[in-house]
Amino acid sequence: MDGKPKLLDRLREQIRVRHYSIRTEAVYAKWVRDFIRFHKMRHPAEMGAPEVERFLSHLAVDMNVSASTQNQALAALLFLYKHVLAIELPWLGEVVRAKRPERLPVVLSREETQRLLACFDGEIALVAGLLYGSGMRLMEAMRLRVKDVDFGRNEIIVRDGKGMKDRVTLLPARLVEPLRQHLGWVKALHQRDLAEGFGEVYLPFALARKYPNAPKEWGWQYVFPAPNHSVDPRSGVKRRHHLDEKRVQRAFRAAVRATGIDKPATPHTLRHCFATHLLESGQDIRTVQELLGHADVKTTMIYTHVLNRGGLAVLSPLDRP
């Protein structure tokens, strides 16, 4: 390596051409740097499948990383070789695979969920309510745009969810009025930004070039905007981004402690609760699959194992008359 970031620049260029998120860009660049350092600063073009296998095995054996972390590193290196270096790697058959644990999701009871939700107020209460009431993932809620909230149909359109798929989910009736009031405050904030020369919002997939006025339009604004402006690390433009998800995570940890819940619950737990409680109430699994955005019903079926009906929905012989 000559010390110039040419390879990483090319990597970032290919990532942005494919509209990957800035988080994916940062993670892929990190794994490429780690791969190069592991092999004593050799250029990846001088290496191939054996070096990739050794690096991935090192992660599993020496670093004891999880299966998902190892797969993330593999995805980054495959992207590098295929899209940046134009080198097709043969099948990696000698990799020591990190073992993927088969864990059931953490699910709160209905009573625990209500106790937890009662701990929040303001916009955090709205976010938590949406996570539980619609089954959205945390980042899907953070990136929610005003135009994708349909009060007339009590629906939310989730754009570019996991796997870059759109889906429709529920807008809980209990949140309609609080959300209307919240959007009134957000609109006033947006109008103030416009008056101060700001008011633009990030648009994906070069939409800002196709529709030059769209970044300032009300419908494209985030439902949960950040309290302050920040500089976009890619474009250098100063604007208001969406709310930092860490604020929700910190508030959630504090609420779990305050309620004395001894389960390792996170904001994502509310998505698990959404699915499980729907199934408990008799909702068919195909509908729950659609609301969650699962491509395969087998993914949704994991929630049938945590329903409040005993192990695998079987009545214990001790409980039979």
Side-chain angles (χ1 to χ4, degrees):
M1 301 293 288
D2 58 6
K4 298 179 181 179
K6 293 180 181 178
L7 179 68
L8 293 183
D9 283 345
R10 291 163 59 195
L11 175 73
R12 294 187 180 98
E13 178 185 2
Q14 291 301 318
I15 288 174
R16 294 176 189 183
V17 164
R18 288 163 178 78
H19 308 300
Y20 288 15
S21 73
I22 194 168
R23 293 167 186 244
T24 301
E25 178 181 318
V27 168
Y28 277 22
K30 180 259 185 194
W31 283 122
V32 170
R33 284 194 297 266
D34 288 354
F35 175 64
I36 293 170
R37 289 176 184 137
F38 177 76
H39 287 293
K40 313 295 185 188
M41 306 306 289
R42 291 173 62 194
H43 196 284
E46 302 171 358
M47 300 184 281
E51 287 80 9
V52 172
E53 289 176 349
R54 285 202 296 274
F55 177 66
L56 295 175
S57 297
H58 158 73
L59 293 179
V61 176
D62 302 324
M63 304 301 293
N64 197 29
V65 302
S66 67
S68 59
T69 299
Q70 189 190 44
N71 287 336
Q72 187 185 74
L74 173 59
L77 296 179
L78 289 178
F79 185 94
L80 170 72
Y81 276 94
K82 181 176 181 179
H83 298 297
V84 181
L85 300 176
I87 298 174
E88 289 289 345
L89 294 181
W91 177 249
L92 304 174
E94 303 299 322
V95 178
V96 177
R97 295 284 183 179
K99 186 176 181 181
R100 182 180 293 276
E102 296 183 6
R103 294 195 179 98
L104 294 177
V106 174
V107 177
L108 306 178
S109 68
R110 293 175 184 268
E111 185 271 337
E112 288 173 329
T113 304
Q114 294 304 322
R115 279 166 47 203
L116 196 62
L117 294 177
C119 292
F120 304 118
D121 54 22
E123 63 181 353
I124 302 299
L126 271 177
V127 173
L130 283 175
L131 298 183
Y132 176 56
S134 69
M136 285 194 292
R137 299 175 178 89
L138 177 57
M139 290 311 300
E140 291 171 347
M142 295 295 93
R143 294 169 179 155
L144 183 63
R145 311 273 183 159
V146 172
K147 67 181 182 62
D148 294 323
V149 179
D150 190 335
F151 288 105
R153 297 173 61 89
N154 276 14
E155 292 178 348
I156 292 174
I157 302 175
V158 179
R159 304 285 185 184
D160 298 320
K162 193 172 182 179
M164 298 186 73
K165 295 181 295 184
D166 294 354
R167 73 179 189 277
V168 176
T169 189
L170 311 172
L171 170 59
R174 283 178 53 183
L175 295 183
V176 167
E177 191 53 35
L179 193 54
R180 284 187 188 276
Q181 295 177 8
H182 171 76
L183 288 178
W185 172 83
V186 175
K187 191 168 189 176
L189 179 66
H190 175 55
Q191 291 171 342
R192 190 182 74 189
D193 281 350
L194 289 173
E196 295 175 353
F198 295 101
E200 287 192 4
V201 70
Y202 165 77
L203 294 189
F205 311 143
L207 286 175
R209 289 199 298 270
K210 188 174 182 181
Y211 306 107
N213 296 325
K216 291 187 176 183
E217 292 178 359
W218 165 236
W220 282 100
Q221 303 305 305
Y222 289 116
V223 172
F224 300 106
N228 302 306
H229 298 104
S230 58
V231 176
D232 188 312
R234 283 181 172 175
S235 65
V237 176
K238 186 176 182 180
R239 57 191 166 204
R240 193 180 298 276
H241 201 46
H242 60 65
L243 185 69
D244 188 346
E245 72 277 9
K246 292 184 177 62
R247 288 190 59 191
V248 181
Q249 293 166 340
R250 285 194 294 266
F252 202 89
R253 285 195 296 269
V256 170
R257 289 194 299 267
T259 54
I261 295 174
D262 56 3
K263 298 175 182 177
T266 68
H268 197 70
T269 301
L270 294 177
R271 176 174 161 89
H272 298 323
C273 295
F274 167 82
T276 304
H277 296 169
L278 280 180
L279 292 171
E280 284 179 341
S281 64
Q283 188 64 59
D284 67 279
I285 196 167
R286 290 289 183 180
T287 300
V288 176
Q289 175 194 356
E290 291 294 325
L291 293 172
L292 292 174
H294 289 162
D296 193 331
V297 72
K298 291 180 181 179
T299 308
T300 316
M301 286 181 66
I302 191 172
Y303 297 109
T304 64
H305 299 299
V306 291
L307 296 180
N308 190 22
R309 302 175 189 168
L312 301 179
V314 177
L315 184 65
S316 169
L318 186 63
D319 296 327
R320 294 185 182 276

